[in-house]
């Protein structure tokens, strides 16, 4: 909950507190659930979701999306938090493409083979002995 409040702009938090009073946490929780559902849908092809213990990056994405959803619903001016929405979508895309959560051992994406090693350049002279 604190993560979402931290993503909301202070004047908006003040207005929401006036409007919802003690119901503000419930209001935000509804948007957190929407954000979590969206995240699970986007990441379901790359990861087992829902996460038992969501990584910090997923919590951050959820907070940004929930703040965007709450702002759009409350003020009907989602442009106020559009930067949060764009950042969250970029983070989700990066997770999908990499197929790796921060802190996990990197594995090759499904269907691809990864190689490694130092690049070496051999001149025509060095290769002439072969």
């Amino acid at each position: 909950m604190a993560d979402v409040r931290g993503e909301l702009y202070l004047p908006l938090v003040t207005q929401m507190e006036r409007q919802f009073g003690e119901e503000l946490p419930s209001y935000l929780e509804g948007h957190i659930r929407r954000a979590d559902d969206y995240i699970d849908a986007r990441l379901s092809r790359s990861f087992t979701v829902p996460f038992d213990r969501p990584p910090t990056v997923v919590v951050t994405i959820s907070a940004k999306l929930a703040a965007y959803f709450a702002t759009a619903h409350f003020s009907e001016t989602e442009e106020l938090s559009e930067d949060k929405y764009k950042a969250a979508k970029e983070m989700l895309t990066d997770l999908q493409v990499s197929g790796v959560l921060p802190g996990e051992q990197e594995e090759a994406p499904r269907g691809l083979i990864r190689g490694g090693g130092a690049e070496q350049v051999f001149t025509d002279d060095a290769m002439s002995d072969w």
Side-chain angles (χ1 to χ4, degrees), residues 15-59:
Q15 291 174 4
M16 287 181 172
E17 286 173 339
R18 259 189 259 133
Q19 176 73 26
F20 296 109
E22 292 179 10
E23 296 300 314
L24 181 57
S26 296
Y27 177 76
L28 295 178
E29 284 172 12
H31 293 294
I32 292 169
R33 282 192 298 278
R34 283 183 62 204
D36 290 348
D37 287 346
Y38 180 78
I39 291 167
D40 290 350
R42 289 278 309 265
L43 296 181
S44 65
R45 291 182 150 218
S46 303
F47 304 98
T48 301
V49 292
F51 297 102
D52 293 330
R53 294 179 51 202
T56 303
V57 68
V58 174
V59 173

Side-chain angles (χ1 to χ4, degrees), residues 26 33 89 112 114:
S26 296
R33 282 192 298 278
K89 284 186 68 173
L112 297 179
R114 283 201 181 162

Side-chain angles (χ1 to χ4, degrees), residues 38-39 42-43 46-47 57 61 65 85-100:
Y38 180 78
I39 291 167
R42 289 278 309 265
L43 296 181
S46 303
F47 304 98
V57 68
I61 293 168
L65 287 173
Y85 180 71
K86 287 179 180 177
K89 284 186 68 173
E90 287 175 15
M91 293 167 78
L92 280 171
T93 299
D94 290 345
L95 287 175
Q96 285 176 298
V97 169
S98 74
V100 179

Side-chain angles (χ1 to χ4, degrees), residues 49-90:
V49 292
F51 297 102
D52 293 330
R53 294 179 51 202
T56 303
V57 68
V58 174
V59 173
T60 300
I61 293 168
S62 179
K64 289 182 179 303
L65 287 173
Y68 172 78
F69 293 151
T71 300
H73 182 260
F74 179 74
S75 67
E76 296 182 4
T77 53
E78 61 269 4
E79 298 85 20
L80 293 173
S81 294
E82 192 168 4
D83 60 324
K84 296 176 187 318
Y85 180 71
K86 287 179 180 177
K89 284 186 68 173
E90 287 175 15

